[in-house]
Amino acid sequence: MPGTPLVGWDDIAAVAPDGLAVLDCVGRFVRLNPAAVALCGAGEEAELLGVPAPFALAEGDGACWVGLLEEQPEGHSDGPSEERSDAQVAHWVSASGARREFAYRARTLASDPKFTVVSFRDVTDESHRQRRLVAIARTSIALATEGSLGSTLDAVAQQIVQADGLAGAQILTLDSTGRELRLMGSAGLRHWDVFLDRLLECRDRGARLCMLDSIKERKPIVVPHRWAQIREDPAWEPLHAYLGELNWDSFVSVPLMARGRPEGVLNAYFAPGQEIGSRTLEFLGAMAEQAALAVDYATLLQSEREGARRNERRRLARDLHDSIVQQVFSIGMQANAAGVLGTRGGPVPAEAVQQFAAEVGALSRTVLADLRAMVHELRPPSSARLGLEDAVSALVKSTENRTGLAIRLIRDQELDVIEPELAEDMYRIIAEAIHNVVKHAEATTVTIRLGVRDHTLTASVRDDGRGIAASAGRGNAPEGKAGRTARHHGYGLTTMRERAERWGGTMRIRSGAKSGTTVRVVIPLPVRVPESPPTDPESSRSARSAVPLPEAAKPVRSGS
């Protein structure tokens, strides 16, 4: 009959594919259809009645609008109607801890304005896909624009955390031998210089490092509820406080593969309630590929640069020694001969000859000393030939003899464990710091501390000079010289910092007009990868409890 509804409203709400909910004036659920109950992760409507909803009440409120790839940004036409979508995004955590994102629209009930009707759908996967695509794109940009490998991998780790809302991420790289791990990028976890040292201590106490399994098997490893396992394992006690600063639960380790060999590992720390499915592993794999490309590119670039530097240094050292040094030495000999002739009398006044001889001799000796110092500096394998300790000692003696500066060198033990390339970079950092002191600080004394403590290489160069600010022009530097001094400081300090960051280290500077300048460099030493990790019964138990994944994306699972 005309005017008679064919279907009741309750019947429509019951089969609606999207969630429908009614909120009261303070934003609590008062009515939900079955789809809404399911989307919120509840078993029945009664579980949600009176629970605060995640949706904004008033139309137009809320700062987070849906921004999926297919939609236009604010202010752009979305079609002939020229109307912008009013869908917003809300975040919901169910009673089980599952995190979801809802796209929704809200309208005030015309017949009773104190109630708001909301229709919503789950866009968690869509939002994740968008953020992951953006993360991959931004990471590609970072690979081309970031300066050092450390800053690039920090950017990659940050994109991973932001894209999926992870608790934290770490990127560790392997050295050229494939035997040592070094922490090079992180996000979500605070920087801690002794992290690798504590990790090594945990391994020595019997803890199993699943990242080693990931590298060995060359497959991702998923460890559900890993934090609970670590918290209860006394072998992990050295890292309990540090890892406890994160709000995390599960763990994934993905190898960085380049040219068919592992370049390192990506560790992802998942927040409680986050699911680890095939799409998540696919995203982490894509980001691991980006990180591996960065590592491989940096390795090739560094090898090329080092080779070019060695060849250039050798050539310059040979040319200086074979030509300029010998010529200056000959000038000195001629000046001495002229001095001898001058003492014999004759048409040339003796005083004039003697003065000429003294000036030329002094000049030649000065130039010869400077050129020999240049040859010493340009010789590439100084620290490799002598070792870091002896190379720095030789540098100190040479600087004292040349400048009269009083330098105190305090050395700790275990410097012989430093690998040659790291020793060379640390030597160059110290040499540049001393060079800055000689050229700019107007100091009288310098103290150098160098050693290995807590599996960390540390070095500091402290002077009693006038500080960086004063030497850059705010002190008594002549006009015109200040700009050149500041630029020299900038170039030199940038090079020093890049050398430290190459090894995952940091450089800090403290300077004052009355307290002088202190340059401190801290470089964590790498963790050596064991030949064959010991078996761990806990691994099997964790493997059996891992979340099932499709065969095509199934990772290796380990207990630690």
Side-chain angles (χ1 to χ4, degrees), residues 40 86 310 385 426 498:
C40 292
D86 61 352
R310 292 191 194 100
R385 289 184 297 106
M426 180 59 83
E498 287 178 350

Side-chain angles (χ1 to χ4, degrees), residues 373 376-396 398-399 420-434 450 457 459 499:
H376 173 76
E377 290 297 325
L378 290 169
R379 194 177 301 134
S382 55
S383 59
R385 289 184 297 106
L386 302 175
L388 180 58
E389 180 179 354
D390 290 340
V392 174
S393 297
L395 175 66
V396 167
S398 173
T399 305
E421 289 189 11
L422 173 56
E424 181 69 15
D425 274 338
M426 180 59 83
Y427 171 80
R428 296 297 174 186
I429 290 173
I430 295 173
E432 179 65 26
I434 294 176
L450 179 65
L457 175 62
R499 289 185 183 275

Side-chain angles (χ1 to χ4, degrees), residues 172 174 178 181 210-219 221 253-257 262 264-265 529:
L172 296 93
L174 282 168
L181 277 171
C210 73
M211 70 179 75
L212 302 183
D213 291 337
S214 178
I215 293 172
K216 180 181 178 181
E217 300 294 336
R218 302 186 179 188
K219 295 180 180 179
I221 291 177
S253 190
V254 182
L256 312 183
M257 301 297 298
V265 67
V529 179

Side-chain angles (χ1 to χ4, degrees), residues 38-219:
L39 289 173
C40 292
E44 55 185 22
E45 181 183 18
E47 298 176 19
L48 296 171
L49 298 181
V51 174
F55 312 114
L57 291 179
E59 299 175 24
D61 283 354
C64 186
W65 293 85
V66 173
L68 303 181
L69 294 179
E70 68 273 9
E71 297 200 17
Q72 298 292 330
E74 183 175 357
H76 288 66
S77 171
D78 210 20
S81 64
E82 298 287 335
E83 294 180 359
R84 185 172 66 87
S85 169
D86 61 352
Q88 303 177 68
V89 170
H91 298 270
W92 173 260
V93 180
S94 67
S96 64
R99 299 169 179 267
R100 313 305 298 171
E101 292 185 40
F102 297 148
Y104 72 96
R105 291 181 173 86
R107 295 287 186 273
T108 301
L109 193 62
S111 59
D112 194 341
K114 68 175 178 290
F115 292 106
T116 300
V117 177
V118 178
S119 65
F120 61 100
R121 61 188 180 90
D122 190 341
V123 294
T124 305
D125 291 341
E126 297 173 67
S127 298
H128 277 181
R129 184 163 53 253
Q130 178 196 15
R131 288 196 298 268
R132 288 165 177 172
L133 289 172
V134 171
I136 293 174
R138 288 178 176 172
T139 299
S140 299
I141 295 173
L143 297 185
T145 59
E146 293 288 348
S148 66
L149 177 61
S151 59
T152 299
L153 295 183
D154 274 339
V156 174
Q158 189 64 39
Q159 290 300 325
I160 293 171
V161 169
Q162 291 179 349
D164 269 15
L166 301 184
Q170 294 174 321
I171 299 176
L172 296 93
T173 62
L174 282 168
D175 68 349
S176 57
T177 67
R179 302 300 305 148
E180 292 184 335
L181 277 171
R182 190 180 297 277
L183 180 61
M184 293 296 293
S186 65
L189 297 97
R190 66 177 173 86
H191 179 79
W192 195 28
D193 291 334
V194 297
F195 169 76
L196 287 179
D197 181 50
R198 296 294 178 263
L199 189 67
L200 188 66
E201 184 179 347
C202 292
R203 189 191 69 181
D204 293 341
R205 291 162 62 111
R208 183 71 176 275
L209 309 183
C210 73
M211 70 179 75
L212 302 183
D213 291 337
S214 178
I215 293 172
K216 180 181 178 181
E217 300 294 336
R218 302 186 179 188
K219 295 180 180 179

